[in-house]
Amino acid sequence: MRTLVLNAGYEPLAIVSFKRALVLVMNQKATVVAHDAEHPVWAHSASFDRPSVILLTRYVRIPSSRMIPVSRRGVLRRDQQRCAYCGQGATTIDHVLPRSRGGKDTWENLVACCLRCNNKKSDHTPREMGWKLRIRPQPPHGTSWMVRGVESALPQWEEFLTPVAA
């Protein structure tokens, strides 16, 4: 069982084991925000609700320059598993400017793509194919992108992972 750790400002910070979360709570470094009452943790003399979300009591400063590394899984997640060319379900990624023409592995040059479009596009640019990108590839932003394991979020984490509209 995993636990979402929130910074003192309620932004997602990390995902830890429930054991680590209990240690943070017992040492008064965090408080429980949400728990899993169906699966308590039994100790020798007591039982505790298993924490699913905890809040740190002190704010932890995160470097704002921390870059999100490019990955296949990240590109698919950013593009919501949809092909950037046709909008169908995507299972692979594509270089907008092909690598053979100097295209790099960057957030701005990689898009989610279905196998059909990827094979059809081959070593061409979208312009040469007469295609338009449905999305503008750019680096993802937001604190939830900094947290590993958030792709398989638990239902009780949703309210803490959705960005607040300003």
Side-chain angles (χ1 to χ4, degrees), residues 1 8 18 21 23 26 29 45 47-48 63 72 79 83-84 86 92-93 95 98 114 116 119 122 133-134:
M1 194 75 177
F18 81 89
V23 169
M26 291 178 158
K29 293 184 180 193
S45 60
S47 71
F48 304 95
R72 178 183 177 279
D79 297 348
C83 178
C86 70
T92 185
I93 59 172
H95 290 80
C114 68
R116 184 172 168 255
N119 288 334
S122 184
L133 286 169
R134 294 174 165 263

Side-chain angles (χ1 to χ4, degrees), residues 45-89:
S45 60
S47 71
F48 304 95
D49 289 332
R50 187 180 304 241
S52 60
V53 180
I54 61 172
L55 177 70
L56 295 179
T57 55
R58 290 190 172 188
Y59 187 81
V60 175
R61 190 165 155 11
I62 305 167
S64 60
S65 63
R66 194 160 88 178
M67 295 295 295
I68 303 166
V70 179
S71 68
R72 178 183 177 279
R73 181 182 290 169
V75 171
L76 288 168
R77 180 177 162 213
R78 177 199 66 190
D79 297 348
Q80 300 171 343
Q81 257 71 2
R82 293 276 155 227
C83 178
Y85 304 114
C86 70
Q88 298 297 316

